[in-house]
Amino acid sequence: MKSINLSPYFNALLLVTVFLLGIWAQSSGFVEQFIYYWDEIIYLSGHHIKLTLISGSIAILIGVPVGIILSRPACRKAADMVMQIFNIGTTVPTLAVLALSMSFLGIGDKPAIFALAFASVLPILRNTYTGLLSVPAHLKEAATGIGLTPTQQLVKVELPNAMYVIMAGIRTAFAINIGTVPLAFQIGGTGLGELIFAGIDLYDTPMMLAGAIPTAVLALIMDMVLGVVTFLIVSKGVNPNRK
């Protein structure tokens, strides 16, 4: 039975939907109201990105080394227990983590960065650990056979083969961060949450969307950037996107 390719129809429907939304936004005055907050959007987006990059970098600096250590044969028995400790960051509601961090670090960006890093470290840690364990045994045996030390084997064989899985964890962590940064406004952190929550409190839909839409756009841009980075740094042999 011949299959029907629905992609052209879907793309046409998407274009029509976007076109109609554009007409509605222009006729309703939403575009003018949105542009009114443009300076604030640019300023707060910069802080939003800063919080995301700082907390995401901290999560990488913690998650990747700990994942490497846990993947070593001598430490694998402790892996489940360590994973459960870091799992607290995703099990406990983000607002609760923010409130706890505020109790120790006060208000502002510092507790927000701590809470964001803690909430997003698990995907990086788990993917690093899983990626290294999934490296084929015959590659490790070949590395040992040609005289590579354990450190050389890790750097030249295991990490390159696990990099695609590790980058998937990093992309997940940054997606979590981008969407969670607005909550930092509740403890004095900067970011687009200022427009979102102020809009909610004032029943000002354009103000709320002036924070929500850029947040969604930043999440898409961040994911695309990390996708390009993954494409560039992951070798062709282990990257399914490079044929």
Side-chain angles (χ1 to χ4, degrees), residues 33 93 180 218:
Q33 292 175 312
T180 308
L218 286 177

Side-chain angles (χ1 to χ4, degrees), residues 150-203:
T151 301
Q152 291 174 327
Q153 179 177 314
L154 172 66
V155 173
K156 295 183 178 181
V157 178
E158 295 183 60
L159 282 175
N161 280 276
M163 189 55 66
Y164 185 79
V165 179
I166 295 173
M167 286 303 301
I170 291 174
R171 291 175 70 174
T172 301
F174 273 84
I176 293 171
N177 266 359
I178 286 281
T180 308
V181 167
L183 294 176
F185 174 72
Q186 302 290 342
I187 59 170
T190 52
L192 290 164
E194 182 175 329
L195 289 173
I196 295 173
F197 288 103
I200 292 173
D201 290 340
L202 298 173
Y203 298 98

Side-chain angles (χ1 to χ4, degrees), residues 86-172:
F86 283 98
N87 191 41
I88 295 173
T90 55
T91 303
V92 177
T94 306
L95 278 176
V97 177
L98 288 167
L100 290 172
S101 63
M102 182 182 67
S103 302
F104 296 102
L105 299 174
I107 62 173
D109 288 345
K110 288 183 179 179
I113 290 171
F114 173 82
L116 290 167
F118 188 64
S120 59
V121 70
L122 181 63
I124 301 174
L125 169 59
R126 183 172 53 210
N127 278 41
T128 301
Y129 175 76
T130 303
L132 290 171
L133 289 187
S134 64
V135 175
H138 67 271
L139 293 179
K140 299 178 184 178
E141 292 172 3
T144 303
I146 63 175
L148 294 184
T149 64
T151 301
Q152 291 174 327
Q153 179 177 314
L154 172 66
V155 173
K156 295 183 178 181
V157 178
E158 295 183 60
L159 282 175
N161 280 276
M163 189 55 66
Y164 185 79
V165 179
I166 295 173
M167 286 303 301
I170 291 174
R171 291 175 70 174
T172 301

